[in-house]
C-alpha cells in the first residue's frame, strides 16, 4: 500500500505567501539608527521581497549562490530572509561584532556572491573589504548617499516587478547558512534547508515551545545575525505575528521603551540583555508600563535563576528559558512547567524554570558518558546528543569536525548535562568549561548562577585556574552592581551553604566588565588567559 498524500515541498515560499495573503495589514515596525520609527506591513513586505528576488536574478545570482547580509534588525533585512531563498539563493547573515579577520574568512569560505550592508555598518565593511570579493555590494541607506561603486538598495529594487515568477524549489535545497561563533577554532558553517527551516518554525511556534500566534507582538532583541534571530522571522511570518525590530539600539532603556510603546507580548534575547533590563527596572520600577509582555525568551547562555525570580517576583514578568545551538536552527529545549508542576513550592518551580527544559517536538535528546547512555535520574552527567530534522548532519566544507557527528546519527553538542525523570535537561557546563579538581568535576555554571543570586553581584563568570596539587581550581570573576559592595568573605559565606567545600572558588576577582564573545556570551577563554599566571594559595 502507498500513502495517498501529496508530495508537497516544505519551502519558505509557503510561509512567505501566507504572511502576504492572510496578514497583509499586520505591522512590521523598525527603529532606525537615528531612533525614528519606520512602519510597514506584511503586505508591503510581500511585494518588496519579490522585487528583491527579481533584482537579485538581474544581478546574476543563481540558484545555490550565497548572498550575505551585514545588518541590524529591521524590516529591510527581513526582506532578504525571504527574497533570497525565494529565488533559490542562500541567505548568509554576517555578525558585525566579529573581527575583520573572521568576517573575511567566513565570507571567503561561503563564497558570498553579493553583500547587503547597513550604511551604519560600512566602517565594519571597511575593515575587511580588501580581503573579499563579492560581485556586488548593496547598501541599506538611511538617507546618506551611497559610496561610489556600491548599489543603493532602494534604487536596486525600485523598478522591479512586485511579483516574482516562482522557482520550483526542492525542500532539501539550501536556504540559509550561519557560522557558529565558537570561542575556539575557526567558525564553522551550518547550512539549513527550506524543509529544516519550515519544520523549525512549526516546532518553535507551538504553545509549549514559544507559543506564538497572529495575536503576538514579537520583539527579537536577538540579532538577525545570531542563528537568524533564532528563526523568529520565519516563525512570525508563518503565524502572522506583528514584529518589532530594535535596529542597532539594544540597550535596556531603548528596549523597554519599545516594549511599552509597541505593546510587545514576547521579546527574545541573551541573558546579558535581560540582566541589564532587570537592573533598569529595579532602579525605576514605575517608569515603564510593560504589562503587555507575556514572556521574555532567554537563551544563548544560562539564564541565572536569580534573574528569573527577580523579573517574576519584583515585576510580574515571566522569563522563558530556552536552550539551542546554531547547529539546531537553533531551538532545542524550552523550560515550561508541566501540568501539575504549578502546585510545587515556589523554590522548586523556579529551580525547574532555570533548567534548560524539555526537548521541543521533532528534537530527540540523550546524554552519553564514557560508560554509555546515562539514566534520566537528574544526577548522572553525560554529554548531550541531539537528533532531528532541523539539526545539522555535518559542517559546510569542514571535514575536521566530523567527530561531532556520531556513527549512529546524533550530533554531539559539547554540553554536559543531567536529564531527570520528567525529561528536563540541565546543563552543568560546556565540556571545555568544566573544572576538574582532584579528580572531581565542578560546575562553573552552578557557581555562577548562585553568585548572581547575591544582591550585590551583577555578573559572575567562573573559570578554572591551574593548581599544582588539585590540577584545577575555580576562580570567580565578579562584576558588582553600581554602587554595591561585597568582599571575598561575604561572597564565600553566601556560597558556603550551597556548595561542598571542594566546590568553593579559591579566589574572587572583582572586575569592571567580563569580556564577551561576539554573541554576547562570557568569553571564558579570555578570562582563562587573563588569569593564567594568577597565583592560588597551595
Ligand atoms: P551558539 O551556537 O553560538 O548559539 O552556541 C550554542 C551553545 O550556547 C550551546 O551549546 C550552549 O553551550 C550555550 N547555550 C545556549 N543556550 C543556553 C542555555 N539556555 N543555557 C546554557 N547554555 C546555553
Amino acid at each position: 500500500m502507498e500513502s495517498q498524500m501529496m508530495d508537497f515541498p516544505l519551502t519558505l515560499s509557503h510561509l512567505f505567501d501566507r504572511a502576504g495573503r492572510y496578514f497583509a495589514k499586520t505591522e512590521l515596525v523598525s527603529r532606525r539608527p537615528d531612533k525614528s520609527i519606520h512602519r510597514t506591513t506584511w503586505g508591503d513586505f510581500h511585494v518588496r521581497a519579490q522585487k528583491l528576488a527579481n533584482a537579485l536574478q538581474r544581478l546574476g545570482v543563481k540558484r545555490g549562490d550565497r548572498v550575505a547580509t551585514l545588518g541590524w534588525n529591521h524590516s529591510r533585512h527581513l526582506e532578504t530572509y525571504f527574497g533570497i531563498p525565494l529565488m533559490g539563493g542562500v541567505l548568509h547573515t554576517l555578525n558585525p561584532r566579529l573581527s575583520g579577520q573572521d568576517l573575511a574568512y567566513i565570507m571567503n569560505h561561503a563564497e558570498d556572491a553579493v553583500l547587503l550592508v547597513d550604511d551604519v555598518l560600512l566602517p565594519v565593511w571597511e575593515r575587511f573589504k580588501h580581503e573579499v570579493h563579492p560581485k556586488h555590494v548593496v547598501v541599506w541607506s538611511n538617507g546618506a548617499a551611497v559610496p561610489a561603486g556600491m548599489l543603493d538598495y532602494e534604487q536596486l529594487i525600485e523598478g522591479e516587478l512586485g511579483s516574482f515568477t516562482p522557482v520550483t524549489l526542492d525542500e532539501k535545497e539550501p536556504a540559509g547558512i550561519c557560522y557558529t561563533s565558537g570561542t575556539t577554532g575557526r567558525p564553522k558553517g551550518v547550512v539549513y534547508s527550506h524543509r529544516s527551516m519550515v519544520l523549525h518554525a512549526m516546532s518553535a511556534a507551538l504553545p509549549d515551545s514559544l507559543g506564538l500566534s497572529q495575536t503576538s507582538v514579537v520583539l527579537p532583541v536577538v540579532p538577525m545575525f545570531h542563528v537568524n534571530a533564532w528563526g523568529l522571522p520565519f516563525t512570525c511570518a508563518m503565524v502572522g505575528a506583528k514584529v518589532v525590530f530594535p535596529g542597532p539600539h539594544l540597550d535596556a532603556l531603548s528596549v523597554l521603551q519599545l516594549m511599552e510603546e509597541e505593546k510587545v507580548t514576547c521579546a527574545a534575547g541573551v541573558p546579558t540583555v535581560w540582566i541589564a533590563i532587570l537592573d533598569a527596572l529595579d532602579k525605576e520600577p514605575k517608569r515603564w508600563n510593560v504589562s503587555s509582555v507575556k514572556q521574555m525568551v532567554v537563551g544563548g547562555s544560562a539564564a541565572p535563576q536569580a534573574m528569573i525570580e527577580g523579573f517574576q517576583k519584583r515585576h510580574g514578568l515571566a522569563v522563558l528559558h530556552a536552550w539551542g545551538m546554531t547547529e539546531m536552527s537553533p531551538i532545542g529545549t524550552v523550560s515550561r512547567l508541566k501540568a501539575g508542576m504549578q502546585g510545587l513550592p515556589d523554590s522548586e518551580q523556579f529551580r525547574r524554570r532555570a533548567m534548560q527544559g524539555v526537548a521541543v517536538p521533532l528534537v530527540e535528546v540523550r546524554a552519553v558518558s564514557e560508560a554509555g547512555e546515562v539514566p534520566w535520574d537528574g544526577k548522572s552527567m553525560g554529554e548531550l546528543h541531539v537528533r532531528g530534522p532541523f539539526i545539522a548532519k555535518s559542517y559546510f566544507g569542514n571535514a575536521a569536525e566530523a567527530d561531532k557527528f556520531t556513527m549512529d546519527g546524533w550530533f554531539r553538542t559539547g554540553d554536559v548535562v543531567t536529564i531527570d525523570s520528567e525529561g528536563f535537561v540541565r546543563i552543568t557546563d560546556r565540556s571545555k568549561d568544566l573544572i576538574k579538581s582532584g579528580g572531581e568535576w565542578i560546575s562553573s555554571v552552578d557557581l555562577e548562577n548562585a553568585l548572581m543570586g547575591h544582591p550585590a553581584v551583577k555578573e559572575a563568570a567562573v573559570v578554572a585556574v591551574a593548581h599544582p596539587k588539585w590540577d584545577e581550581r575555580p576562580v570567580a570573576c565578579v562584576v558588582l552592581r553600581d554602587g554595591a559592595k561585597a568582599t571575598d568573605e561575604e561572597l564565600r559565606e553566601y556560597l558556603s551553604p550551597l556548595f561542598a567545600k571542594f566546590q568553593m572558588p579559591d579566589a574572587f576577582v572583582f572586575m569592571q566588565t567580563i569580556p564577551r564573545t561576539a554573541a554576547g556570551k562570557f568569553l571564558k577563554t579570555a578570562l582563562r588567559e587573563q588569569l593564567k599566571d594568577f597565583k592560588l594559595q597551595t
Side-chain angles (χ1 to χ4, degrees), residues 180-182 227 230 298-303 321-327 330 356 413-415 427 429-430 445 519 521:
T180 61
S181 51
V227 214
W230 299 348
V298 182
S301 42
H321 190 194
W323 166 88
M325 298 183 78
T326 306
E327 291 86 339
Q356 279 63 28
T413 66
D415 287 330
I427 295 194
D429 244 319
R430 287 294 292 166
V445 172
K521 304 180 191 194

PDB file of all heavy atoms in Angstrom, residues 180-182 227 230 298-303 321-327 330 356 413-415 427 429-430 445 519 521, ligand 1:
ATOM      1  N   THR A 180      29.012  29.310  13.204  1.00  0.00           N
ATOM      2  CA  THR A 180      28.980  29.348  14.670  1.00  0.00           C
ATOM      3  C   THR A 180      30.100  30.263  15.141  1.00  0.00           C
ATOM      4  O   THR A 180      31.219  30.208  14.625  1.00  0.00           O
ATOM      5  CB  THR A 180      29.206  27.961  15.293  1.00  0.00           C
ATOM      6  OG1 THR A 180      30.502  27.518  14.888  1.00  0.00           O
ATOM      7  CG2 THR A 180      28.170  26.970  14.857  1.00  0.00           C
ATOM      8  N   SER A 181      29.769  31.085  16.134  1.00  0.00           N
ATOM      9  CA  SER A 181      30.799  31.985  16.666  1.00  0.00           C
ATOM     10  C   SER A 181      31.473  31.288  17.833  1.00  0.00           C
ATOM     11  O   SER A 181      31.387  31.732  18.961  1.00  0.00           O
ATOM     12  CB  SER A 181      30.171  33.304  17.098  1.00  0.00           C
ATOM     13  OG  SER A 181      29.072  33.030  17.943  1.00  0.00           O
ATOM     14  N   GLY A 182      32.060  30.143  17.567  1.00  0.00           N
ATOM     15  CA  GLY A 182      32.722  29.370  18.622  1.00  0.00           C
ATOM     16  C   GLY A 182      33.853  30.166  19.259  1.00  0.00           C
ATOM     17  O   GLY A 182      34.346  31.131  18.675  1.00  0.00           O
ATOM     18  N   VAL A 227      22.035  33.104  14.463  1.00  0.00           N
ATOM     19  CA  VAL A 227      21.158  31.999  14.048  1.00  0.00           C
ATOM     20  C   VAL A 227      19.807  32.539  13.579  1.00  0.00           C
ATOM     21  O   VAL A 227      18.750  32.116  14.049  1.00  0.00           O
ATOM     22  CB  VAL A 227      20.938  30.949  15.156  1.00  0.00           C
ATOM     23  CG1 VAL A 227      20.800  29.571  14.512  1.00  0.00           C
ATOM     24  CG2 VAL A 227      21.978  30.934  16.210  1.00  0.00           C
ATOM     25  N   TRP A 230      17.175  33.415  15.954  1.00  0.00           N
ATOM     26  CA  TRP A 230      16.552  32.197  16.489  1.00  0.00           C
ATOM     27  C   TRP A 230      15.373  31.746  15.626  1.00  0.00           C
ATOM     28  O   TRP A 230      14.415  31.138  16.112  1.00  0.00           O
ATOM     29  CB  TRP A 230      16.107  32.389  17.957  1.00  0.00           C
ATOM     30  CG  TRP A 230      17.242  32.715  18.879  1.00  0.00           C
ATOM     31  CD1 TRP A 230      18.578  32.626  18.611  1.00  0.00           C
ATOM     32  CD2 TRP A 230      17.161  33.192  20.230  1.00  0.00           C
ATOM     33  NE1 TRP A 230      19.316  33.011  19.700  1.00  0.00           N
ATOM     34  CE2 TRP A 230      18.475  33.367  20.707  1.00  0.00           C
ATOM     35  CE3 TRP A 230      16.090  33.480  21.069  1.00  0.00           C
ATOM     36  CZ2 TRP A 230      18.754  33.828  21.989  1.00  0.00           C
ATOM     37  CZ3 TRP A 230      16.364  33.941  22.356  1.00  0.00           C
ATOM     38  CH2 TRP A 230      17.687  34.112  22.809  1.00  0.00           C
ATOM     39  N   VAL A 298      14.680  33.742  26.986  1.00  0.00           N
ATOM     40  CA  VAL A 298      16.104  33.943  27.269  1.00  0.00           C
ATOM     41  C   VAL A 298      16.856  32.682  26.893  1.00  0.00           C
ATOM     42  O   VAL A 298      16.492  31.580  27.303  1.00  0.00           O
ATOM     43  CB  VAL A 298      16.324  34.256  28.768  1.00  0.00           C
ATOM     44  CG1 VAL A 298      17.793  34.502  29.039  1.00  0.00           C
ATOM     45  CG2 VAL A 298      15.516  35.462  29.182  1.00  0.00           C
ATOM     46  N   GLY A 299      17.901  32.833  26.083  1.00  0.00           N
ATOM     47  CA  GLY A 299      18.702  31.679  25.692  1.00  0.00           C
ATOM     48  C   GLY A 299      20.052  32.150  25.197  1.00  0.00           C
ATOM     49  O   GLY A 299      20.366  33.334  25.245  1.00  0.00           O
ATOM     50  N   GLY A 300      20.850  31.207  24.718  1.00  0.00           N
ATOM     51  CA  GLY A 300      22.179  31.577  24.215  1.00  0.00           C
ATOM     52  C   GLY A 300      23.242  31.315  25.252  1.00  0.00           C
ATOM     53  O   GLY A 300      24.347  30.910  24.939  1.00  0.00           O
ATOM     54  N   SER A 301      22.952  31.561  26.519  1.00  0.00           N
ATOM     55  CA  SER A 301      23.726  31.039  27.641  1.00  0.00           C
ATOM     56  C   SER A 301      22.769  30.923  28.820  1.00  0.00           C
ATOM     57  O   SER A 301      21.608  31.342  28.699  1.00  0.00           O
ATOM     58  CB  SER A 301      24.983  31.857  27.960  1.00  0.00           C
ATOM     59  OG  SER A 301      24.736  33.207  27.884  1.00  0.00           O
ATOM     60  N   ALA A 302      23.250  30.354  29.931  1.00  0.00           N
ATOM     61  CA  ALA A 302      22.328  30.004  31.011  1.00  0.00           C
ATOM     62  C   ALA A 302      21.669  31.241  31.615  1.00  0.00           C
ATOM     63  O   ALA A 302      22.340  32.216  31.941  1.00  0.00           O
ATOM     64  CB  ALA A 302      23.074  29.219  32.078  1.00  0.00           C
ATOM     65  N   ALA A 303      20.353  31.181  31.780  1.00  0.00           N
ATOM     66  CA  ALA A 303      19.624  32.264  32.448  1.00  0.00           C
ATOM     67  C   ALA A 303      19.725  32.031  33.952  1.00  0.00           C
ATOM     68  O   ALA A 303      19.249  31.005  34.437  1.00  0.00           O
ATOM     69  CB  ALA A 303      18.172  32.255  32.010  1.00  0.00           C
ATOM     70  N   HIS A 321      12.995  30.170  29.678  1.00  0.00           N
ATOM     71  CA  HIS A 321      14.382  29.789  29.420  1.00  0.00           C
ATOM     72  C   HIS A 321      14.426  28.755  28.290  1.00  0.00           C
ATOM     73  O   HIS A 321      13.712  27.757  28.338  1.00  0.00           O
ATOM     74  CB  HIS A 321      14.978  29.209  30.713  1.00  0.00           C
ATOM     75  CG  HIS A 321      16.454  29.012  30.653  1.00  0.00           C
ATOM     76  ND1 HIS A 321      17.130  28.255  31.564  1.00  0.00           N
ATOM     77  CD2 HIS A 321      17.384  29.476  29.807  1.00  0.00           C
ATOM     78  CE1 HIS A 321      18.418  28.255  31.263  1.00  0.00           C
ATOM     79  NE2 HIS A 321      18.586  28.989  30.200  1.00  0.00           N
ATOM     80  N   ALA A 322      15.247  29.018  27.285  1.00  0.00           N
ATOM     81  CA  ALA A 322      15.354  28.089  26.159  1.00  0.00           C
ATOM     82  C   ALA A 322      16.820  27.825  25.876  1.00  0.00           C
ATOM     83  O   ALA A 322      17.677  28.674  26.137  1.00  0.00           O
ATOM     84  CB  ALA A 322      14.686  28.680  24.925  1.00  0.00           C
ATOM     85  N   TRP A 323      17.095  26.646  25.358  1.00  0.00           N
ATOM     86  CA  TRP A 323      18.470  26.272  25.002  1.00  0.00           C
ATOM     87  C   TRP A 323      18.519  25.882  23.530  1.00  0.00           C
ATOM     88  O   TRP A 323      17.569  25.300  23.005  1.00  0.00           O
ATOM     89  CB  TRP A 323      18.932  25.102  25.871  1.00  0.00           C
ATOM     90  CG  TRP A 323      20.181  24.428  25.360  1.00  0.00           C
ATOM     91  CD1 TRP A 323      21.465  24.767  25.641  1.00  0.00           C
ATOM     92  CD2 TRP A 323      20.238  23.304  24.463  1.00  0.00           C
ATOM     93  NE1 TRP A 323      22.328  23.928  24.975  1.00  0.00           N
ATOM     94  CE2 TRP A 323      21.604  23.029  24.245  1.00  0.00           C
ATOM     95  CE3 TRP A 323      19.280  22.528  23.823  1.00  0.00           C
ATOM     96  CZ2 TRP A 323      22.033  21.993  23.422  1.00  0.00           C
ATOM     97  CZ3 TRP A 323      19.697  21.494  22.987  1.00  0.00           C
ATOM     98  CH2 TRP A 323      21.072  21.232  22.808  1.00  0.00           C
ATOM     99  N   GLY A 324      19.603  26.229  22.889  1.00  0.00           N
ATOM    100  CA  GLY A 324      19.740  25.817  21.499  1.00  0.00           C
ATOM    101  C   GLY A 324      21.142  26.049  20.999  1.00  0.00           C
ATOM    102  O   GLY A 324      22.032  26.465  21.736  1.00  0.00           O
ATOM    103  N   MET A 325      21.336  25.771  19.724  1.00  0.00           N
ATOM    104  CA  MET A 325      22.652  25.907  19.104  1.00  0.00           C
ATOM    105  C   MET A 325      22.476  26.285  17.639  1.00  0.00           C
ATOM    106  O   MET A 325      21.473  25.912  17.021  1.00  0.00           O
ATOM    107  CB  MET A 325      23.406  24.572  19.152  1.00  0.00           C
ATOM    108  CG  MET A 325      23.676  24.063  20.536  1.00  0.00           C
ATOM    109  SD  MET A 325      24.649  22.546  20.477  1.00  0.00           S
ATOM    110  CE  MET A 325      26.283  23.176  20.159  1.00  0.00           C
ATOM    111  N   THR A 326      23.481  26.925  17.082  1.00  0.00           N
ATOM    112  CA  THR A 326      23.476  27.233  15.654  1.00  0.00           C
ATOM    113  C   THR A 326      23.179  25.967  14.848  1.00  0.00           C
ATOM    114  O   THR A 326      22.434  25.993  13.874  1.00  0.00           O
ATOM    115  CB  THR A 326      24.861  27.797  15.257  1.00  0.00           C
ATOM    116  OG1 THR A 326      25.150  28.882  16.124  1.00  0.00           O
ATOM    117  CG2 THR A 326      24.877  28.265  13.821  1.00  0.00           C
ATOM    118  N   GLU A 327      23.778  24.856  15.288  1.00  0.00           N
ATOM    119  CA  GLU A 327      23.633  23.589  14.564  1.00  0.00           C
ATOM    120  C   GLU A 327      22.209  23.048  14.631  1.00  0.00           C
ATOM    121  O   GLU A 327      21.875  22.082  13.961  1.00  0.00           O
ATOM    122  CB  GLU A 327      24.583  22.531  15.173  1.00  0.00           C
ATOM    123  CG  GLU A 327      26.057  22.784  14.928  1.00  0.00           C
ATOM    124  CD  GLU A 327      26.692  23.703  15.966  1.00  0.00           C
ATOM    125  OE1 GLU A 327      25.953  24.455  16.642  1.00  0.00           O
ATOM    126  OE2 GLU A 327      27.927  23.681  16.111  1.00  0.00           O
ATOM    127  N   PRO A 330      17.770  27.464  15.910  1.00  0.00           N
ATOM    128  CA  PRO A 330      18.595  26.821  16.911  1.00  0.00           C
ATOM    129  C   PRO A 330      17.838  26.152  18.062  1.00  0.00           C
ATOM    130  O   PRO A 330      18.461  25.584  18.932  1.00  0.00           O
ATOM    131  CB  PRO A 330      19.329  28.030  17.503  1.00  0.00           C
ATOM    132  CG  PRO A 330      18.273  29.095  17.541  1.00  0.00           C
ATOM    133  CD  PRO A 330      17.373  28.805  16.345  1.00  0.00           C
ATOM    134  N   GLN A 356      17.338  23.965  31.497  1.00  0.00           N
ATOM    135  CA  GLN A 356      17.209  24.232  30.055  1.00  0.00           C
ATOM    136  C   GLN A 356      15.894  23.683  29.522  1.00  0.00           C
ATOM    137  O   GLN A 356      15.391  24.164  28.522  1.00  0.00           O
ATOM    138  CB  GLN A 356      18.407  23.659  29.310  1.00  0.00           C
ATOM    139  CG  GLN A 356      19.641  24.552  29.361  1.00  0.00           C
ATOM    140  CD  GLN A 356      20.214  24.774  30.753  1.00  0.00           C
ATOM    141  OE1 GLN A 356      20.082  23.929  31.632  1.00  0.00           O
ATOM    142  NE2 GLN A 356      20.843  25.907  30.967  1.00  0.00           N
ATOM    143  N   THR A 413      26.742  17.771  21.223  1.00  0.00           N
ATOM    144  CA  THR A 413      26.630  19.222  21.464  1.00  0.00           C
ATOM    145  C   THR A 413      27.828  19.810  22.189  1.00  0.00           C
ATOM    146  O   THR A 413      28.052  21.010  22.132  1.00  0.00           O
ATOM    147  CB  THR A 413      25.382  19.537  22.312  1.00  0.00           C
ATOM    148  OG1 THR A 413      25.574  18.957  23.614  1.00  0.00           O
ATOM    149  CG2 THR A 413      24.113  19.008  21.671  1.00  0.00           C
ATOM    150  N   GLY A 414      28.573  18.963  22.952  1.00  0.00           N
ATOM    151  CA  GLY A 414      29.663  19.508  23.767  1.00  0.00           C
ATOM    152  C   GLY A 414      29.154  20.068  25.091  1.00  0.00           C
ATOM    153  O   GLY A 414      29.936  20.513  25.925  1.00  0.00           O
ATOM    154  N   ASP A 415      27.847  20.037  25.325  1.00  0.00           N
ATOM    155  CA  ASP A 415      27.294  20.482  26.608  1.00  0.00           C
ATOM    156  C   ASP A 415      27.168  19.276  27.530  1.00  0.00           C
ATOM    157  O   ASP A 415      26.709  18.204  27.108  1.00  0.00           O
ATOM    158  CB  ASP A 415      25.911  21.118  26.420  1.00  0.00           C
ATOM    159  CG  ASP A 415      25.987  22.496  25.774  1.00  0.00           C
ATOM    160  OD1 ASP A 415      27.006  23.174  25.984  1.00  0.00           O
ATOM    161  OD2 ASP A 415      25.051  22.875  25.071  1.00  0.00           O
ATOM    162  N   ILE A 427      21.941  21.900  32.015  1.00  0.00           N
ATOM    163  CA  ILE A 427      23.343  21.979  31.580  1.00  0.00           C
ATOM    164  C   ILE A 427      24.209  22.267  32.793  1.00  0.00           C
ATOM    165  O   ILE A 427      23.954  23.225  33.528  1.00  0.00           O
ATOM    166  CB  ILE A 427      23.524  23.092  30.535  1.00  0.00           C
ATOM    167  CG1 ILE A 427      22.757  22.737  29.264  1.00  0.00           C
ATOM    168  CG2 ILE A 427      24.996  23.339  30.237  1.00  0.00           C
ATOM    169  CD1 ILE A 427      23.095  23.557  28.050  1.00  0.00           C
ATOM    170  N   ASP A 429      27.637  22.374  32.300  1.00  0.00           N
ATOM    171  CA  ASP A 429      28.765  23.119  31.718  1.00  0.00           C
ATOM    172  C   ASP A 429      28.942  22.814  30.239  1.00  0.00           C
ATOM    173  O   ASP A 429      28.406  21.844  29.748  1.00  0.00           O
ATOM    174  CB  ASP A 429      30.091  22.742  32.413  1.00  0.00           C
ATOM    175  CG  ASP A 429      30.668  23.941  33.129  1.00  0.00           C
ATOM    176  OD1 ASP A 429      30.604  25.028  32.554  1.00  0.00           O
ATOM    177  OD2 ASP A 429      31.164  23.773  34.241  1.00  0.00           O
ATOM    178  N   ARG A 430      29.732  23.666  29.558  1.00  0.00           N
ATOM    179  CA  ARG A 430      30.319  23.240  28.285  1.00  0.00           C
ATOM    180  C   ARG A 430      31.403  22.261  28.686  1.00  0.00           C
ATOM    181  O   ARG A 430      32.073  22.482  29.712  1.00  0.00           O
ATOM    182  CB  ARG A 430      31.000  24.408  27.549  1.00  0.00           C
ATOM    183  CG  ARG A 430      30.133  25.432  26.909  1.00  0.00           C
ATOM    184  CD  ARG A 430      29.331  24.913  25.773  1.00  0.00           C
ATOM    185  NE  ARG A 430      30.106  24.541  24.600  1.00  0.00           N
ATOM    186  CZ  ARG A 430      29.595  23.809  23.591  1.00  0.00           C
ATOM    187  NH1 ARG A 430      28.351  23.388  23.640  1.00  0.00           N
ATOM    188  NH2 ARG A 430      30.327  23.521  22.541  1.00  0.00           N
ATOM    189  N   VAL A 445      28.848  26.686  35.905  1.00  0.00           N
ATOM    190  CA  VAL A 445      27.514  27.285  35.737  1.00  0.00           C
ATOM    191  C   VAL A 445      26.782  27.364  37.080  1.00  0.00           C
ATOM    192  O   VAL A 445      26.149  28.367  37.403  1.00  0.00           O
ATOM    193  CB  VAL A 445      26.683  26.472  34.711  1.00  0.00           C
ATOM    194  CG1 VAL A 445      25.246  26.955  34.667  1.00  0.00           C
ATOM    195  CG2 VAL A 445      27.305  26.578  33.340  1.00  0.00           C
ATOM    196  N   ALA A 519      28.713  36.965  20.380  1.00  0.00           N
ATOM    197  CA  ALA A 519      27.295  36.665  20.593  1.00  0.00           C
ATOM    198  C   ALA A 519      26.822  37.126  21.966  1.00  0.00           C
ATOM    199  O   ALA A 519      25.723  36.799  22.386  1.00  0.00           O
ATOM    200  CB  ALA A 519      27.063  35.173  20.421  1.00  0.00           C
ATOM    201  N   LYS A 521      28.096  36.287  24.895  1.00  0.00           N
ATOM    202  CA  LYS A 521      28.298  35.315  25.980  1.00  0.00           C
ATOM    203  C   LYS A 521      29.613  35.615  26.689  1.00  0.00           C
ATOM    204  O   LYS A 521      30.502  36.210  26.089  1.00  0.00           O
ATOM    205  CB  LYS A 521      28.345  33.899  25.416  1.00  0.00           C
ATOM    206  CG  LYS A 521      27.111  33.560  24.617  1.00  0.00           C
ATOM    207  CD  LYS A 521      27.190  32.165  24.065  1.00  0.00           C
ATOM    208  CE  LYS A 521      26.078  31.986  23.054  1.00  0.00           C
ATOM    209  NZ  LYS A 521      25.820  30.635  22.679  1.00  0.00           N
TER     210      LYS A 521
HETATM  211  P1  LIG B   1      25.588  29.054  19.625  1.00  0.00           P
HETATM  212  O1  LIG B   1      25.631  28.035  18.579  1.00  0.00           O
HETATM  213  O2  LIG B   1      26.556  30.176  19.439  1.00  0.00           O
HETATM  214  O3  LIG B   1      24.190  29.549  19.862  1.00  0.00           O
HETATM  215  O4  LIG B   1      26.049  28.379  20.987  1.00  0.00           O
HETATM  216  C1  LIG B   1      25.425  27.229  21.473  1.00  0.00           C
HETATM  217  C2  LIG B   1      25.895  26.972  22.876  1.00  0.00           C
HETATM  218  O5  LIG B   1      25.457  28.032  23.731  1.00  0.00           O
HETATM  219  C3  LIG B   1      25.279  25.734  23.486  1.00  0.00           C
HETATM  220  O6  LIG B   1      25.989  24.573  23.118  1.00  0.00           O
HETATM  221  C4  LIG B   1      25.401  26.024  24.969  1.00  0.00           C
HETATM  222  O7  LIG B   1      26.698  25.761  25.464  1.00  0.00           O
HETATM  223  C5  LIG B   1      25.176  27.514  25.030  1.00  0.00           C
HETATM  224  N1  LIG B   1      23.772  27.778  25.370  1.00  0.00           N
HETATM  225  C6  LIG B   1      22.781  28.144  24.547  1.00  0.00           C
HETATM  226  N2  LIG B   1      21.634  28.314  25.238  1.00  0.00           N
HETATM  227  C7  LIG B   1      21.907  28.028  26.524  1.00  0.00           C
HETATM  228  C8  LIG B   1      21.147  27.990  27.736  1.00  0.00           C
HETATM  229  N3  LIG B   1      19.870  28.312  27.769  1.00  0.00           N
HETATM  230  N4  LIG B   1      21.783  27.624  28.874  1.00  0.00           N
HETATM  231  C9  LIG B   1      23.096  27.312  28.869  1.00  0.00           C
HETATM  232  N5  LIG B   1      23.861  27.328  27.779  1.00  0.00           N
HETATM  233  C10 LIG B   1      23.282  27.678  26.617  1.00  0.00           C
END
